[in-house]
Amino acid sequence: AQTVTQSQPEMSVQEAETVTLSCTYDTSESDYYLFWYKQPPSRQMILVIRQEAYKQQNATENRFSVNFQKAAKSFSLKISDSQLGDAAMYFCAYKGGSEKLVFGKGMKLTVNP
Amino acid sequence: SQTIHQWPATLVQPVGSPLSLECTVEGTSNPNLYWYRQAAGRGLQLLFYSVGIGQISSEVPQNLSASRPQDRQFILSSKKLLLSDSGFYLCAWSKGLAEGTDTQYFGPGTRLTVL
């Protein structure tokens, strides 16, 4: 079975600085997708970024970028120029051949002004 | 653009009472639909998913059930709620199989408290 691990339950960053959130996963599948979702206090899950495993190029969405290391099964999220609105729970998720998204336990990010 | 709605937003129910949570999607057709539950301080657990009207797959056997009476409507039900059913319920949709189902988009969720 696939698993997703987020080893850091909490992190904090100063406004305007850069922070990296780590995620590792375990799978025997060769084709899959990886995601980062953000869950603000409203609790709606918002898609931040998506990575296709067959693409070597790391995905980027404005201030958000990933470092995808397929051999190491690592998928970290870098947030540049952190803003107060970035404060939230962040979940790493995996989707392989089944319909199920497998989520990590999440990490709480605090942004200090 | 596509939007997903869930209601009610908040619900407080006594143990043993029935439950009906509704999810609807606008702006797309033939979506895949999903129900997830998030317990306090934990990640999301997939409960049910549906690839078409009347087609329901269950991931976790329990006293909940799901139905899809219309293409863009997904309902989560229970005949008798348990204390352990408390949690945050999220509905999600993705494009149908023909278009690629990799990315799921979530609704605003329903906070259920069973007393």
Side-chain angles (χ1 to χ4, degrees):
Chain A
Q2 295 81 21
T3 58
V4 176
T5 302
Q6 295 178 252
S7 56
Q8 301 157 300
E10 290 191 44
M11 291 186 74
S12 62
V13 63
Q14 290 297 125
E15 194 175 4
E17 293 188 348
T18 296
V19 63
T20 299
L21 287 58
S22 63
C23 172
T24 58
Y25 60 95
D26 188 25
T27 184
S28 58
E29 295 177 304
S30 56
D31 292 329
Y32 51 88
Y33 299 85
L34 295 164
F35 306 87
W36 279 98
Y37 284 90
K38 168 185 175 180
Q39 189 177 41
S42 67
R43 298 196 72 178
Q44 181 165 6
M45 296 290 281
I46 301 167
L47 177 68
V48 175
I49 202 164
R50 165 184 175 271
Q51 175 78 44
E52 299 161 350
Y54 65 86
K55 287 188 176 179
Q56 294 187 348
Q57 186 173 6
N58 290 323
T60 299
E61 287 288 340
N62 300 314
R63 297 183 295 109
F64 300 88
S65 62
V66 300
N67 183 5
F68 173 48
Q69 301 290 328
K70 190 172 184 179
K73 296 180 181 174
S74 170
F75 183 60
S76 60
L77 174 70
K78 184 172 82 171
I79 306 175
S80 303
D81 186 25
S82 297
Q83 300 175 1
L84 295 177
D86 294 333
M89 287 290 294
Y90 285 82
F91 291 90
C92 179
Y94 168 100
K95 186 181 185 299
S98 75
E99 288 302 318
K100 182 166 56 177
L101 268 177
V102 179
F103 284 86
K105 291 186 176 181
M107 191 223 68
K108 181 179 180 180
L109 178 66
T110 301
V111 181
N112 300 310
Chain B
S1 64
Q2 300 85 9
T3 55
I4 179 169
H5 304 280
Q6 286 186 245
W7 61 88
T10 305
L11 190 60
V12 180
Q13 292 284 90
V15 170
S17 64
L19 173 73
S20 181
L21 303 181
E22 189 167 341
C23 170
T24 59
V25 181
E26 296 177 353
T28 188
S29 58
N30 304 313
N32 284 7
L33 297 171
Y34 310 83
W35 278 113
Y36 288 85
R37 179 170 60 198
Q38 183 179 30
R42 301 179 68 177
L44 274 67
Q45 179 187 41
L46 180 63
L47 302 175
F48 302 94
Y49 70 90
S50 171
V51 299
I53 296 174
Q55 300 179 61
I56 308 295
S57 297
S58 174
E59 288 288 315
V60 182
Q62 53 201 321
N63 69 319
L64 298 173
S65 62
S67 62
R68 184 170 177 175
Q70 300 180 43
D71 181 46
R72 290 170 289 178
Q73 184 184 33
F74 204 24
I75 296 172
L76 183 69
S77 303
S78 174
K79 292 181 179 178
K80 288 186 177 182
L81 283 168
L82 306 173
L83 287 174
S84 57
D85 291 324
S86 292
F88 191 64
Y89 289 82
L90 285 154
C91 181
W93 74 275
S94 69
K95 293 179 181 178
L97 186 60
E99 299 177 83
T101 66
D102 53 278
T103 303
Q104 296 180 18
Y105 302 92
F106 288 81
T110 295
R111 184 187 306 273
L112 172 65
T113 303
V114 183
L115 301 174

